[in-house]
Amino acid sequence: MTDTVSLLVAVPAAVLGAAGFGMSSAAQQRATHEVPIAPTLSPRLLVELARHPWWLLGLVTTILALAMQLVALAFGPLTIVQPLLVTGCVFAGVFSALLHRRAPDRWVVGGGLLTAAGLAGFLLQARPVAAGPDAEHLDVTDSPAFLVALVVVLAGCLVWAGVSTHPSRVLALALGTGILFGVTAALMKAVTTAVRGGAGELFTTPALYAACVVGPMGFLLSQNTFQQGRLVSPSVAVITTVDPIVAVFAGIAWLGETIDTSGPLLVGQVVSGVVVLAGIASVTLRSTVLLRRGTAPEDAAVWEGRDR
């Protein structure tokens, strides 16, 4: 199968996965605000949420989105698939507005188009290349400094979220979630690569067992993030920005993937990244305004109380 055909499968699958993650984020955020607040990473939160229909809908869409992400990772490099998942922020903003009976306006649509344009520009200039046949397995020892940096930042996020009462604790939870999601994506890419070597290879790769630990941790932390934040869009914006950044660096550091970093193209990639952030900011800020307008006073009071 040629690289072109592989991308024709990977890109649509990644976008569908982003749509699924966006929809699940909106549904799960709504559900987490209707159950008692649980401590960070406490499984008790999942027990409470398991009885909520909106959360169950979000769980189903999460599973479908993960399936699409696995398909995308099986056919395309991590450095292409994960940046496309940034569009999940746009989908989350749209679905959140619809759940609150507010149609997305031109600012949300415009922000989505801006995000898509920035992503297209980045991918065209980055020219991601998958790892060669001699780099079949994820190896964190190739860049231990990157691993240590992720662990330190993640630990700092969890500590700050645990001891602080400042609203920034929600952003710390979102940052930690994005890190775990990015690492999970790298592990999933390693698993899909191992599967190509046969079913026997699947159960001998450490990435499978690491993903079974890191993935659920990221999912549980995301539920804490949605519950402790007032609105879904800002949290999802942080998660969907940090996730691909961590994943791209993990793909380069641990999986042997490459992107073109020559001078002019690197400048273009930075500009494209700024365009993506501008699009995300437009969707986030406008979705926040729309949701606040559609929030009942008593709900707003509850959310204000959660933020203090």
Side-chain angles (χ1 to χ4, degrees):
M1 180 176 289
T2 65
D3 290 340
T4 301
V5 175
S6 295
L7 291 180
L8 288 176
V9 176
V11 172
V15 174
L16 287 174
F21 285 129
M23 184 174 183
S24 66
S25 296
Q28 289 167 353
Q29 187 269 350
R30 176 166 176 167
T32 57
H33 282 283
E34 297 179 7
V35 298
I37 295 179
T40 302
L41 291 178
S42 171
R44 189 181 73 193
L45 177 58
L46 297 182
V47 175
E48 296 287 345
L49 290 170
R51 294 173 289 189
H52 199 291
W54 280 110
W55 188 82
L56 293 175
L57 173 62
L59 180 62
V60 171
T61 54
T62 296
I63 294 172
L64 294 175
L66 282 173
M68 289 294 97
Q69 185 182 14
L70 280 171
V71 170
L73 289 171
F75 286 89
L78 189 65
T79 44
I80 285 181
V81 173
Q82 288 308 110
L84 288 172
L85 292 181
V86 170
T87 56
C89 177
V90 179
F91 288 114
V94 171
F95 288 130
S96 292
L98 293 177
L99 283 178
H100 290 78
R101 296 184 176 87
R102 290 284 180 177
D105 67 354
R106 60 185 179 182
W107 287 100
V108 174
V109 175
L113 294 175
L114 199 62
T115 301
L119 281 173
F122 172 80
L123 293 175
L124 286 173
Q125 296 173 93
R127 301 173 185 174
V129 177
D134 57 338
E136 295 183 350
H137 302 289
L138 179 143
D139 187 0
V140 297
T141 61
D142 284 347
S143 183
F146 180 55
L147 176 62
V148 171
L150 291 180
V151 172
V152 170
V153 174
L154 177 60
C157 290
L158 295 178
V159 170
W160 179 253
V163 303
S164 175
T165 57
H166 192 272
S168 63
R169 73 184 187 279
V170 179
L171 297 182
L173 288 171
L175 176 58
T177 301
I179 291 173
L180 290 175
F181 280 177
V183 173
T184 301
L187 295 171
M188 289 168 61
K189 176 61 179 177
V191 170
T192 59
T193 303
V195 170
R196 294 183 178 180
E201 290 286 332
L202 174 63
F203 297 101
T204 60
T205 175
L208 173 64
Y209 304 101
C212 291
V213 174
V214 178
M217 283 182 60
F219 178 74
L220 180 53
L221 194 60
S222 71
Q223 304 308 295
N224 288 128
T225 304
F226 296 150
Q227 184 178 55
Q228 297 188 33
R230 185 190 306 174
L231 298 172
V232 65
S233 294
S235 299
V236 174
V238 174
I239 294 171
T240 55
T241 301
V242 174
D243 176 353
I245 291 175
V246 171
V248 166
F249 278 104
I252 295 171
W254 297 339
L255 292 169
E257 296 185 359
T258 60
I259 60 175
D260 194 330
T261 56
S262 57
L265 291 179
L266 184 59
V267 173
Q269 291 167 35
V270 172
V271 172
S272 296
V274 172
V275 172
V276 170
L277 292 177
I280 290 175
S282 175
V283 173
T284 298
L285 295 175
R286 188 57 179 173
S287 296
T288 299
V289 170
L290 291 174
L291 290 178
R292 282 174 175 166
R293 287 179 181 174
T295 301
E298 60 271 19
D299 293 335
V302 170
W303 283 354
E304 289 286 353
R306 287 174 183 266
D307 281 346
R308 284 194 290 268

